[in-house]
Amino acid sequence: MVVMNRITKAKTKRGKRALEVKEPKAIENVKSAVFVRGVKCSQAVQDCMKDISALKKPDSIAYNQKNDIRPFEDFSKLEFYSKKLDASLFCFGSHNKKRPNNMILGRMYDNHMLDMIELGLENFMPLNAFKTGKIATGTKPCLVFEGEQFADTTNLEMQRLKNLLIDFFRGPEVDNVRLAGIEHTLQFTSHENRVFMRSYKVLLKKSGQRTPRIELEEIGPRIDWVLRRTHMASEDLFKTACKQVKNVHKEKKIKNISEDAFGSKLGRLHVPAQEISKIQTRKVRALKESREEKQEKLAEEKEAKRRQEVEAVFGSDDGGGSEAEDMDES
């Protein structure tokens, strides 16, 4: 029996805000990554996942408990984690005799598996092995890709791995970057079926000119991977996952707003006719009617009422004069 996906409805305002965060958006949020370990996982893989999670913070979620998962056989549990934690990226670590020091990097589309690549950890030096100054948490890195395999467009596996690494480490999207804001560089070098990852801190030195002299200081981690198995999405599914709303970054035109030569914004407003007599204004004692004014107003109202009663009985002056003239003529 097939169970259909139930439509979740929020019962509280907090739940409604949580569902709004998970809703599809024209401009995506920063992709979060979940780090999961298998039943058997070597200490080197655990330390490597810990350092990658530190580079990915604050958009990373790490699980330390053991999970009996074989992603290339059944990835339903990873899809469950993705939907529960709203994380479209994952890193899975395991270790066995056939595939020692195994790491799997992958991503989801619509909470379903899109693609994943299995990498073997050959060499690793952790962050704490480099006795240098570190970078602040959440710093957006500058990504550098080198090697013939990354440049070869016919090599599908390396092209997808490059795309996956960009998705994993790119951080938030920004329009402008100041020179002093480039503090971290991640370099990925490909050689045959191997990928070498290096992490550098950017140092701005005095050069005697307006442009500073750039120096790179390795801060770790240092990782050497070898490419193993892959699970690639079809071309149609990959195009669907990469599709964006048309003109999503185009500035929306706002009506009745213009800009003058000095850069000041000028707006045109349509204000309907206002009935000032019906507007409730603030009651001020200085504007309050005095006793004499009230008595005078009351006297005027009485006089107007008396005149109406007299006119109702005797009629108006014009009407009475015309009747008298008719009688004289007769």
Short mmCIF file of all heavy atoms in Angstrom, two decimals, residues 227-266:
data_model
loop_
_atom_site.label_atom_id
_atom_site.label_comp_id
_atom_site.label_asym_id
_atom_site.label_seq_id
_atom_site.Cartn_x
_atom_site.Cartn_y
_atom_site.Cartn_z
N LEU A 227 38.94 9.11 -5.99
CA LEU A 227 37.57 8.94 -6.48
C LEU A 227 37.22 7.45 -6.55
O LEU A 227 37.97 6.65 -7.10
CB LEU A 227 37.41 9.58 -7.86
CG LEU A 227 36.00 9.72 -8.41
CD1 LEU A 227 35.17 10.64 -7.53
CD2 LEU A 227 36.04 10.26 -9.83
N ARG A 228 36.04 7.08 -6.01
CA ARG A 228 35.56 5.71 -6.03
C ARG A 228 34.23 5.63 -6.78
O ARG A 228 34.15 6.02 -7.93
CB ARG A 228 35.44 5.17 -4.60
CG ARG A 228 36.80 4.94 -3.92
CD ARG A 228 36.68 4.47 -2.48
NE ARG A 228 37.99 4.25 -1.89
CZ ARG A 228 38.21 4.07 -0.59
NH1 ARG A 228 37.19 4.07 0.27
NH2 ARG A 228 39.44 3.88 -0.14
N ARG A 229 33.16 5.20 -6.13
CA ARG A 229 31.88 5.02 -6.82
C ARG A 229 31.14 6.35 -6.93
O ARG A 229 31.39 7.29 -6.16
CB ARG A 229 31.02 4.00 -6.07
CG ARG A 229 31.57 2.59 -6.06
CD ARG A 229 30.62 1.65 -5.32
NE ARG A 229 30.56 1.97 -3.90
CZ ARG A 229 29.73 1.37 -3.03
NH1 ARG A 229 28.90 0.44 -3.47
NH2 ARG A 229 29.74 1.70 -1.76
N THR A 230 30.20 6.39 -7.88
CA THR A 230 29.38 7.59 -8.08
C THR A 230 27.94 7.18 -8.33
O THR A 230 27.66 6.09 -8.83
CB THR A 230 29.89 8.42 -9.27
OG1 THR A 230 29.84 7.62 -10.46
CG2 THR A 230 31.29 8.93 -9.05
N HIS A 231 27.04 8.08 -7.96
CA HIS A 231 25.61 7.92 -8.26
C HIS A 231 25.15 9.26 -8.84
O HIS A 231 24.96 10.23 -8.12
CB HIS A 231 24.82 7.58 -6.99
CG HIS A 231 23.33 7.58 -7.19
ND1 HIS A 231 22.65 6.50 -7.69
CD2 HIS A 231 22.40 8.54 -6.95
CE1 HIS A 231 21.35 6.79 -7.76
NE2 HIS A 231 21.18 8.03 -7.30
N MET A 232 25.02 9.31 -10.17
CA MET A 232 24.75 10.57 -10.87
C MET A 232 23.26 10.68 -11.21
O MET A 232 22.60 9.69 -11.54
CB MET A 232 25.57 10.65 -12.16
CG MET A 232 27.06 10.64 -11.94
SD MET A 232 27.61 12.11 -11.05
CE MET A 232 29.36 11.77 -10.94
N ALA A 233 22.76 11.90 -11.15
CA ALA A 233 21.40 12.17 -11.59
C ALA A 233 21.37 12.23 -13.12
O ALA A 233 22.36 12.55 -13.77
CB ALA A 233 20.90 13.49 -11.01
N SER A 234 20.23 11.91 -13.70
CA SER A 234 20.08 11.99 -15.15
C SER A 234 20.14 13.45 -15.59
O SER A 234 19.97 14.38 -14.79
CB SER A 234 18.75 11.35 -15.57
OG SER A 234 17.66 12.06 -15.01
N GLU A 235 20.37 13.65 -16.88
CA GLU A 235 20.48 15.02 -17.40
C GLU A 235 19.19 15.81 -17.21
O GLU A 235 19.21 16.99 -16.86
CB GLU A 235 20.85 14.97 -18.90
CG GLU A 235 22.28 14.52 -19.17
CD GLU A 235 23.31 15.51 -18.66
OE1 GLU A 235 22.99 16.71 -18.58
OE2 GLU A 235 24.43 15.08 -18.35
N ASP A 236 18.04 15.15 -17.43
CA ASP A 236 16.75 15.85 -17.27
C ASP A 236 16.52 16.26 -15.82
O ASP A 236 16.09 17.38 -15.55
CB ASP A 236 15.61 14.95 -17.75
CG ASP A 236 15.69 14.67 -19.24
OD1 ASP A 236 16.34 15.47 -19.94
OD2 ASP A 236 15.11 13.67 -19.70
N LEU A 237 16.82 15.34 -14.88
CA LEU A 237 16.63 15.65 -13.46
C LEU A 237 17.60 16.74 -13.02
O LEU A 237 17.23 17.63 -12.24
CB LEU A 237 16.81 14.39 -12.62
CG LEU A 237 16.65 14.55 -11.10
CD1 LEU A 237 15.25 15.07 -10.77
CD2 LEU A 237 16.92 13.23 -10.39
N PHE A 238 18.84 16.69 -13.52
CA PHE A 238 19.82 17.69 -13.14
C PHE A 238 19.42 19.07 -13.66
O PHE A 238 19.58 20.09 -12.97
CB PHE A 238 21.20 17.30 -13.67
CG PHE A 238 22.33 18.14 -13.14
CD1 PHE A 238 22.77 17.98 -11.84
CD2 PHE A 238 22.94 19.09 -13.94
CE1 PHE A 238 23.80 18.75 -11.33
CE2 PHE A 238 23.97 19.87 -13.44
CZ PHE A 238 24.41 19.70 -12.15
N LYS A 239 18.88 19.14 -14.89
CA LYS A 239 18.41 20.41 -15.44
C LYS A 239 17.23 20.95 -14.64
O LYS A 239 17.12 22.15 -14.40
CB LYS A 239 18.04 20.25 -16.91
CG LYS A 239 19.23 20.11 -17.84
CD LYS A 239 18.77 19.99 -19.28
CE LYS A 239 19.98 19.86 -20.23
NZ LYS A 239 19.56 19.71 -21.64
N THR A 240 16.33 20.05 -14.24
CA THR A 240 15.18 20.47 -13.43
C THR A 240 15.63 21.02 -12.08
O THR A 240 15.09 22.02 -11.59
CB THR A 240 14.22 19.29 -13.21
OG1 THR A 240 13.84 18.75 -14.48
CG2 THR A 240 12.97 19.73 -12.46
N ALA A 241 16.64 20.40 -11.48
CA ALA A 241 17.14 20.85 -10.18
C ALA A 241 17.85 22.19 -10.29
O ALA A 241 17.85 22.99 -9.34
CB ALA A 241 18.08 19.80 -9.59
N CYS A 242 18.46 22.48 -11.46
CA CYS A 242 19.20 23.73 -11.65
C CYS A 242 18.33 24.86 -12.19
O CYS A 242 18.82 25.98 -12.36
CB CYS A 242 20.38 23.50 -12.59
SG CYS A 242 21.64 22.39 -11.93
N LYS A 243 17.06 24.57 -12.47
CA LYS A 243 16.20 25.59 -13.07
C LYS A 243 15.92 26.70 -12.06
O LYS A 243 15.68 26.45 -10.88
CB LYS A 243 14.89 24.96 -13.53
CG LYS A 243 13.99 25.89 -14.34
CD LYS A 243 12.72 25.19 -14.77
CE LYS A 243 13.01 24.12 -15.79
NZ LYS A 243 11.76 23.51 -16.31
N GLN A 244 15.92 27.95 -12.56
CA GLN A 244 15.66 29.12 -11.72
C GLN A 244 14.51 29.93 -12.30
O GLN A 244 14.19 29.82 -13.48
CB GLN A 244 16.90 30.01 -11.61
CG GLN A 244 18.01 29.42 -10.75
CD GLN A 244 19.15 30.40 -10.56
OE1 GLN A 244 19.29 31.35 -11.31
NE2 GLN A 244 19.96 30.17 -9.55
N VAL A 245 13.92 30.74 -11.46
CA VAL A 245 12.85 31.64 -11.90
C VAL A 245 13.46 32.70 -12.82
O VAL A 245 14.54 33.22 -12.56
CB VAL A 245 12.16 32.30 -10.69
CG1 VAL A 245 11.07 33.24 -11.14
CG2 VAL A 245 11.61 31.24 -9.76
N LYS A 246 12.74 33.01 -13.91
CA LYS A 246 13.26 33.97 -14.88
C LYS A 246 13.34 35.36 -14.24
O LYS A 246 12.43 35.81 -13.55
CB LYS A 246 12.33 34.01 -16.10
CG LYS A 246 12.90 34.79 -17.26
CD LYS A 246 11.98 34.72 -18.46
CE LYS A 246 12.55 35.49 -19.64
NZ LYS A 246 11.66 35.42 -20.83
N ASN A 247 14.47 36.03 -14.51
CA ASN A 247 14.71 37.39 -14.00
C ASN A 247 14.57 37.47 -12.48
O ASN A 247 14.02 38.43 -11.94
CB ASN A 247 13.76 38.40 -14.66
CG ASN A 247 13.95 38.50 -16.15
OD1 ASN A 247 15.05 38.28 -16.65
ND2 ASN A 247 12.88 38.80 -16.87
N VAL A 248 15.07 36.42 -11.79
CA VAL A 248 14.91 36.41 -10.34
C VAL A 248 15.77 37.48 -9.68
O VAL A 248 15.41 38.04 -8.64
CB VAL A 248 15.26 35.01 -9.79
CG1 VAL A 248 16.72 34.68 -10.02
CG2 VAL A 248 14.94 34.91 -8.31
N HIS A 249 16.92 37.80 -10.27
CA HIS A 249 17.80 38.81 -9.70
C HIS A 249 17.55 40.20 -10.27
O HIS A 249 18.27 41.15 -9.93
CB HIS A 249 19.27 38.42 -9.93
CG HIS A 249 19.66 37.14 -9.24
ND1 HIS A 249 19.84 37.05 -7.88
CD2 HIS A 249 19.89 35.89 -9.73
CE1 HIS A 249 20.17 35.83 -7.56
NE2 HIS A 249 20.21 35.10 -8.66
N LYS A 250 16.56 40.32 -11.17
CA LYS A 250 16.26 41.62 -11.75
C LYS A 250 15.52 42.49 -10.74
O LYS A 250 14.64 42.01 -10.03
CB LYS A 250 15.40 41.44 -13.01
CG LYS A 250 15.20 42.71 -13.80
CD LYS A 250 14.42 42.44 -15.07
CE LYS A 250 14.21 43.70 -15.88
NZ LYS A 250 13.43 43.44 -17.11
N GLU A 251 15.89 43.76 -10.70
CA GLU A 251 15.26 44.67 -9.73
C GLU A 251 13.81 44.93 -10.14
O GLU A 251 13.52 45.24 -11.29
CB GLU A 251 16.03 45.99 -9.69
CG GLU A 251 15.55 46.94 -8.61
CD GLU A 251 16.40 48.19 -8.53
OE1 GLU A 251 17.42 48.25 -9.24
OE2 GLU A 251 16.02 49.09 -7.78
N LYS A 252 12.92 44.78 -9.19
CA LYS A 252 11.50 44.95 -9.46
C LYS A 252 11.17 46.44 -9.59
O LYS A 252 11.56 47.26 -8.78
CB LYS A 252 10.68 44.33 -8.32
CG LYS A 252 9.19 44.30 -8.59
CD LYS A 252 8.45 43.60 -7.47
CE LYS A 252 6.96 43.57 -7.73
NZ LYS A 252 6.21 42.90 -6.64
N LYS A 253 10.41 46.77 -10.66
CA LYS A 253 10.04 48.16 -10.91
C LYS A 253 8.87 48.54 -10.02
O LYS A 253 7.87 47.83 -9.94
CB LYS A 253 9.67 48.35 -12.38
CG LYS A 253 9.43 49.79 -12.76
CD LYS A 253 9.13 49.93 -14.24
CE LYS A 253 8.89 51.38 -14.62
NZ LYS A 253 8.57 51.54 -16.06
N ILE A 254 8.99 49.67 -9.34
CA ILE A 254 7.95 50.15 -8.44
C ILE A 254 7.28 51.35 -9.09
O ILE A 254 7.94 52.29 -9.55
CB ILE A 254 8.54 50.54 -7.07
CG1 ILE A 254 9.30 49.35 -6.47
CG2 ILE A 254 7.45 50.98 -6.12
CD1 ILE A 254 10.02 49.67 -5.20
N LYS A 255 5.95 51.32 -9.14
CA LYS A 255 5.20 52.38 -9.80
C LYS A 255 5.21 53.66 -8.95
O LYS A 255 5.34 53.62 -7.73
CB LYS A 255 3.75 51.94 -10.03
CG LYS A 255 3.62 50.79 -11.03
CD LYS A 255 2.17 50.45 -11.23
CE LYS A 255 2.01 49.30 -12.23
NZ LYS A 255 0.58 48.96 -12.43
N ASN A 256 5.03 54.80 -9.67
CA ASN A 256 4.88 56.13 -9.05
C ASN A 256 6.07 56.55 -8.21
O ASN A 256 5.94 57.33 -7.26
CB ASN A 256 3.60 56.18 -8.19
CG ASN A 256 2.35 55.94 -9.01
OD1 ASN A 256 2.29 56.27 -10.18
ND2 ASN A 256 1.35 55.33 -8.39
N ILE A 257 7.25 56.00 -8.52
CA ILE A 257 8.47 56.41 -7.82
C ILE A 257 9.51 56.78 -8.87
O ILE A 257 9.78 56.00 -9.79
CB ILE A 257 9.00 55.31 -6.89
CG1 ILE A 257 8.06 55.13 -5.69
CG2 ILE A 257 10.40 55.65 -6.39
CD1 ILE A 257 8.52 54.11 -4.70
N SER A 258 10.07 57.96 -8.76
CA SER A 258 11.08 58.43 -9.70
C SER A 258 12.28 58.95 -8.92
O SER A 258 12.25 59.07 -7.70
CB SER A 258 10.50 59.52 -10.61
OG SER A 258 10.03 60.62 -9.84
N GLU A 259 13.33 59.26 -9.66
CA GLU A 259 14.57 59.73 -9.04
C GLU A 259 15.02 60.98 -9.77
O GLU A 259 15.05 61.02 -11.01
CB GLU A 259 15.62 58.63 -9.12
CG GLU A 259 16.85 58.91 -8.29
CD GLU A 259 17.79 57.71 -8.23
OE1 GLU A 259 17.29 56.57 -8.27
OE2 GLU A 259 19.00 57.92 -8.17
N ASP A 260 15.38 62.01 -9.00
CA ASP A 260 15.81 63.26 -9.63
C ASP A 260 17.30 63.23 -9.94
O ASP A 260 17.98 62.22 -9.74
CB ASP A 260 15.45 64.45 -8.73
CG ASP A 260 16.11 64.36 -7.37
OD1 ASP A 260 16.93 63.44 -7.17
OD2 ASP A 260 15.82 65.21 -6.51
N ALA A 261 17.82 64.35 -10.41
CA ALA A 261 19.22 64.42 -10.82
C ALA A 261 20.18 64.28 -9.66
O ALA A 261 21.35 63.91 -9.84
CB ALA A 261 19.48 65.74 -11.55
N PHE A 262 19.73 64.56 -8.45
CA PHE A 262 20.59 64.48 -7.26
C PHE A 262 20.52 63.12 -6.56
O PHE A 262 21.12 62.94 -5.51
CB PHE A 262 20.21 65.58 -6.27
CG PHE A 262 20.32 66.95 -6.84
CD1 PHE A 262 19.19 67.62 -7.29
CD2 PHE A 262 21.55 67.56 -6.96
CE1 PHE A 262 19.28 68.89 -7.82
CE2 PHE A 262 21.66 68.84 -7.50
CZ PHE A 262 20.53 69.50 -7.94
N GLY A 263 19.75 62.19 -7.13
CA GLY A 263 19.64 60.86 -6.55
C GLY A 263 18.58 60.70 -5.49
O GLY A 263 18.51 59.67 -4.83
N SER A 264 17.76 61.72 -5.29
CA SER A 264 16.69 61.66 -4.29
C SER A 264 15.47 60.97 -4.88
O SER A 264 15.12 61.20 -6.05
CB SER A 264 16.31 63.06 -3.80
OG SER A 264 17.43 63.71 -3.26
N LYS A 265 14.83 60.14 -4.10
CA LYS A 265 13.63 59.44 -4.54
C LYS A 265 12.41 60.32 -4.37
O LYS A 265 12.22 60.94 -3.32
CB LYS A 265 13.44 58.13 -3.76
CG LYS A 265 14.35 57.02 -4.21
CD LYS A 265 13.99 55.71 -3.54
CE LYS A 265 14.86 54.57 -4.06
NZ LYS A 265 14.49 53.28 -3.43
N LEU A 266 11.60 60.39 -5.41
CA LEU A 266 10.37 61.17 -5.39
C LEU A 266 9.20 60.23 -5.60
O LEU A 266 9.19 59.43 -6.55
CB LEU A 266 10.38 62.24 -6.48
CG LEU A 266 11.58 63.21 -6.46
CD1 LEU A 266 11.51 64.15 -7.66
CD2 LEU A 266 11.59 64.01 -5.16
#
